Amino acid sequence: MNLSPNWLAAPIVIPLLAGALSLAFTRWGFRKTVKWQQNIALGVVAINLFVAVVLLIATLNGDRLVLQMGQWDAPFGITIIADGLSTIMLTLTAILSAAIVPYAIGTLDQRARMNFYPLLLFLIVGVNGAFLSGDLFNLYVFFEVLLMASFVLLTLGGQAGQINGGIRYVVLNLIASILFLAAAGVAYGTLGTLNMAQLAQRMPSAPESVQMILAGLLLVAFSSKAGLFPLFFWLPSSYHTPHPAITAFFGGLLTKVGIYTLFRIFPLLFPTYLQAWQPLILTIAGFTMLTGVFGAMAVSTIRRVLSFHVISQVGYMVLGLGLAASSDPTLAGMGMAAGILYLVHHMIVKTALLMAGGAAELEMGSGSLLANRLTGLVGRRPLLAVIFFFAAFSLAGIPPMSGFVSKLGLLQLAFLSKHWLVASVSLIVSVLTLMSMARLWQTAFWGKVTAPIYPTAPLTNPRMRWFVLSPIAALVGISLLIGIFSGPIFHWSDIAAQQVLDRQGYIQAVNPVSTILDLSEKYNE
């Protein structure tokens, strides 16, 4: 497909302009403001989905799209680049956005909707920009855009629990951002560029100590943003505090931006360290899986259980990165492809679960699993119960859902690579996840009806009921389709994985024109 690179500006520019336009309606009065912001958001997420699918089709044949902003070549201009992995992430973000907006319409009260939609659009700007950025500094900038928007969304409502969770969230993420900025400073000071293609060219000529410092700083920074062990503690203390619509979007998307950057940066800039640190990466993956699932079994509210499972499932994605560190190119490609497939599965299913769990909490006025505060929903809301059931068991890896094929791929490759310990850990965690999901469904949905429905529950309104249930059912349906048609999906993941591991292809696609003296020549002089 011959597509103009100018399309790459659309996922950033359109939600940015729409978000700014939405804020202009605040002078029109409350009801008009909410209506216009809501309509603009619906239109933008539809356009964003269309653009993402077009870019996906254009890149999943193995091509890359490169846009040098302002027609200034690197390192002076800003490079925007898309390949299979970038466009898969853009498409997933667009799908989740298209699901969250109607869900928010059905669950947010009128006052809570005020400025929710502009903030959501600004968050999409940061996420899309991170997926498309071709240099470290602009990657940092887009991380800060999504951090600012997510912090305001997290504290939207101003309740004490939200402020407490929001402060932890922003402080710990700012520390990670400082480490990221420090790494960018070291890279520019020693290598003379922040363009990732140029960094890939120049990194081998840098001193060993510089390479190790850069790799270490970026690993810690992105691990914190991804919620990996032992840097995950900000996540379960903050994700359960905002409105369920915000929790669902965060749980399905934000930590995966950190995972994306790990997938992007290490094979491109530090392939030797990726191989050398394989035991460390696999250890982090194993402990992340275990910590998340044990935390989920220890807490007693529906959204805290699901928040801990975000941590647990992120461990499976990092397992894919660890398996991609193999010295065998075939095994490395399979490991990266399996990690990408799990990433696709998780983003869809986790968002659906958090949306369904949030709807159950709003229905009963409580998310507590104790003292029969949340029970008997299978009789009251059977459709919600069925949707939650399928999403929960997809997370646990039960066929024919997407969780089964994605976990099976990782498990087979772990055994094939003879990483027996981490393979055993992943099996144990899958069993514990199944137990946790069975406990959650039995407690929240099964049993006798003992508590009254909350008076303002969104599902009591027939019109709002379909705004809530339809997007959740659509996401669960996508998970089922991924499980049934896993062959083509894995093929697309494999194409994206091969592009991620193809350093020379990335460098040649960007083709930076360097007018700065190469460090090796500088040192020779």
Side-chain angles (χ1 to χ4, degrees), residues 201-271:
Q201 287 178 309
R202 299 181 183 187
M203 194 66 70
S205 64
E208 186 73 19
S209 58
V210 171
Q211 295 185 49
M212 184 173 292
I213 289 171
L214 284 174
L217 286 173
L218 292 175
L219 178 63
V220 173
F222 296 142
S223 295
S224 177
K225 292 182 180 296
L228 299 180
F229 178 89
L231 305 171
F232 62 85
F233 40 85
W234 57 269
L235 193 155
S237 66
S238 59
Y239 271 25
H240 68 287
T241 58
H243 188 274
I246 299 170
T247 299
F249 200 55
F250 283 17
L253 184 60
L254 290 193
T255 53
K256 270 55 76 179
V257 183
I259 293 294
Y260 166 83
T261 50
L262 288 172
F263 281 10
R264 174 68 65 199
I265 294 295
F266 272 83
L268 179 63
L269 302 186
F270 310 107

Side-chain angles (χ1 to χ4, degrees), residues 17-18 21 47 89 93 121 130 167 178 180 218 220 222 301 303-304 318 348 354 389 402 429 483:
L17 294 179
L21 180 64
I47 295 170
M89 298 302 291
T93 302
L121 294 177
I167 290 174
I178 290 170
F180 185 8
L218 292 175
V220 173
F222 296 142
T301 64
R303 280 198 286 165
R304 292 206 72 187
V318 180
I348 296 294
L354 285 165
F389 177 87
S402 60
V429 171

Side-chain angles (χ1 to χ4, degrees), residues 37-92:
Q37 289 181 347
Q38 175 182 302
N39 291 339
I40 289 172
L42 284 170
V44 170
V45 296
I47 295 170
N48 190 43
L49 180 58
F50 171 76
V51 172
V53 171
V54 170
L55 292 173
L56 181 69
I57 294 171
T59 55
L60 277 184
N61 59 0
D63 292 338
R64 293 180 176 88
L65 293 174
V66 180
L67 176 64
Q68 305 289 2
M69 300 295 288
Q71 297 184 354
W72 284 90
D73 290 328
F76 302 108
I78 296 173
T79 299
I80 301 296
I81 180 170
D83 58 10
L85 178 60
S86 302
T87 55
I88 285 173
M89 298 302 291
L90 286 175
T91 304
L92 289 170

Side-chain angles (χ1 to χ4, degrees), residues 40 60 80 119 127-128 147 182 193 209 214 251 256 259 278 280 325 392 403 424 439 459 507 509:
I40 289 172
L60 277 184
I80 301 296
L119 289 168
V127 172
N128 287 350
L147 177 61
T193 184
S209 58
L214 284 174
K256 270 55 76 179
I259 293 294
Q278 185 186 47
L280 173 63
S424 301
R439 163 183 171 254
L459 298 184
I507 293 168

Side-chain angles (χ1 to χ4, degrees), residues 26 76 85 134 211 287 321 421 453 479-480 500 519:
T26 54
F76 302 108
L85 178 60
Q211 295 185 49
F287 276 108
L321 179 64
L421 183 58
I453 291 178
S479 172
L480 180 60
V500 169
L519 278 183

